[in-house]
Amino acid sequence: MELRKEYVNELSRLMKQNDKIFVLDSDLAGAGGTKALYSEFPDRCIDVGIAEANMCCIATGLAASGFVPFIHSFAPFATRRIYDQIAVSISYSEQNVKIVGFDPGVHTTYNGGTHMCFEDIASLRALCNVTVLDIVDGVQLRKALPAIVAHPGAMYIRFVRKQTEELFDDSYEFRLGKADLLERGKDITIVASGTSLFDAKKAAETLKAEGISVELIGIHTVKPLDEEAIVASAKKTGAVLTVENHSIHGGLYSAVCETLSARCPTLCDAVAVRDKLTQVGSLEDLKRDYGLTAEDIVTRARALLAQK
């Protein structure tokens, strides 16, 4: 099932239980999949039109009145376009607004460079009172939503609308702020967030076939980062490679390096976008052009190990 369908199904279930939840869109309810909620909850769904800043401010008013509003758009429009409103109305005012950004990074594909966003995590991670989530699959999203609703503060949640591939099964347990230890190893730590986990897992399998023991850590909560898990793994392996569908500046790599530089200085590198402009293309072509493939992860892991 597509992530947007998993999202709407679970949000519908939660809205039936909690009449404080509101849904807001900026003329993209069809694209985001939330349109079905408008028939089910007509009094708690608002389409503001192509006016993202207004959507943010309406949501802030709802939050100040005790409601739990979710605002939705493509990642650049949910973050970059309304950054000042988020900073002042949500962060500074300490309001409980959930910001959902669809199709981050290379997953914008044919929607084009103007819709592509490599800096959303960096920008919102820099704000006070904003928790940042990078979701990998539908199972994780479904398990995360109750915790997202229950969390008493602002959150940014990024995920891919139409993805159907799954990493986890129904036995998965989501813990806000806690990393997922997917594989234990002793030679190198690979830390990946969001959909980059799929390629990180493939890369780990390739490296294991070469006799390299990989510790694979999945990060869904980029802020606050599970520092204890990162430090414990770095102490064991002595080499950390981060993998993310985001700029190398200000995202997962930055968060991990900030933690390790203060608590456990460790050899580090990153598979991330390195100061390249956005463009149009297929997912496979874009991942190759930006150096985000499983093969790129393997290459950088080998190079990092060679420095130990």
Side-chain angles (χ1 to χ4, degrees):
M1 184 185 296
E2 291 181 346
L3 260 73
R4 61 182 172 181
K5 293 181 180 178
E6 292 262 17
Y7 172 69
V8 168
N9 287 346
E10 181 62 15
L11 194 56
S12 171
R13 187 184 71 82
L14 294 169
M15 289 177 77
K16 290 170 184 172
Q17 298 175 357
N18 184 346
D19 62 6
K20 298 294 185 182
I21 301 174
F22 265 73
V23 167
L24 294 89
D25 292 282
S26 54
D27 200 41
L28 288 170
T34 56
K35 191 173 182 178
L37 296 172
Y38 282 69
S39 298
E40 194 173 7
F41 307 99
D43 296 331
R44 287 190 281 146
C45 294
I46 305 170
D47 193 328
V48 305
I50 307 174
E52 292 86 355
N54 194 31
M55 174 175 66
C56 180
C57 293
I58 292 171
T60 301
L62 287 166
S65 301
F67 295 100
V68 183
F70 283 72
I71 65 175
H72 308 83
S73 192
F74 288 109
F77 308 146
T79 58
R80 187 171 66 208
R81 178 170 289 180
I82 57 172
Y83 190 69
D84 188 55
Q85 282 74 28
I86 295 173
V88 176
S89 297
I90 297 177
S91 170
Y92 181 74
S93 300
E94 299 182 282
Q95 295 300 331
N96 182 19
V97 177
K98 316 305 183 185
I99 306 161
V100 178
F102 299 129
D103 294 351
V106 292
H107 290 280
T108 301
T109 61
Y110 293 110
N111 276 332
T114 57
H115 287 51
M116 194 172 288
C117 189
F118 292 139
E119 67 285 331
D120 52 330
I121 288 177
S123 61
L124 294 199
R125 183 174 160 260
L127 294 176
C128 296
N129 307 314
V130 181
T131 297
V132 178
L133 301 184
D134 195 6
I135 298 295
V136 61
D137 68 5
V139 173
Q140 187 175 78
L141 181 58
R142 175 162 42 85
K143 297 294 183 85
L145 268 170
I148 291 169
V149 170
H151 180 73
M155 304 184 82
Y156 173 55
I157 308 105
R158 71 191 319 239
F159 63 86
V160 181
R161 292 177 302 144
K162 298 180 181 180
Q163 178 186 307
T164 57
E165 186 178 7
E166 291 188 345
L167 187 78
F168 297 111
D169 58 31
D170 283 339
S171 65
Y172 172 73
E173 294 183 12
F174 177 87
R175 296 177 298 158
L176 184 63
K178 296 297 181 182
D180 295 316
L181 179 58
L182 302 180
E183 296 183 27
R184 296 184 183 275
K186 58 184 177 60
D187 295 330
I188 187 171
T189 301
I190 297 180
V191 184
S193 66
T195 54
S196 294
L197 263 171
F198 291 109
D199 289 298
K201 193 171 188 299
K202 292 177 185 176
E205 292 169 357
T206 299
L207 291 166
K208 285 193 294 183
E210 298 175 2
I212 297 169
S213 179
V214 177
E215 181 136 299
L216 180 61
I217 296 176
I219 296 291
H220 48 69
T221 310
V222 182
K223 179 190 176 184
L225 186 69
D226 187 348
E227 295 186 358
E228 299 305 323
I230 300 298
V231 170
S233 187
K235 286 180 177 179
K236 180 168 42 171
T237 66
V240 176
L241 179 67
T242 65
V243 187
E244 60 189 309
N245 172 35
H246 186 272
S247 169
I248 193 172
H249 305 296
L252 180 64
Y253 177 65
S254 293
V256 168
C257 286
E258 289 161 14
T259 296
L260 293 179
S261 66
R263 299 184 55 184
C264 180
T266 307
L267 193 63
C268 295
D269 194 11
V271 173
V273 178
R274 297 169 182 257
D275 273 349
K276 296 185 72 173
L277 292 175
T278 54
Q279 57 182 311
V280 182
S282 69
L283 181 59
E284 293 73 21
D285 286 344
L286 290 170
K287 285 166 64 176
R288 185 187 65 247
D289 289 350
Y290 289 113
L292 303 178
T293 67
E295 291 76 16
D296 292 310
I297 299 170
V298 169
T299 298
R300 286 199 174 271
R302 290 173 182 152
L304 190 62
L305 284 167
Q307 298 177 52
K308 287 179 69 176

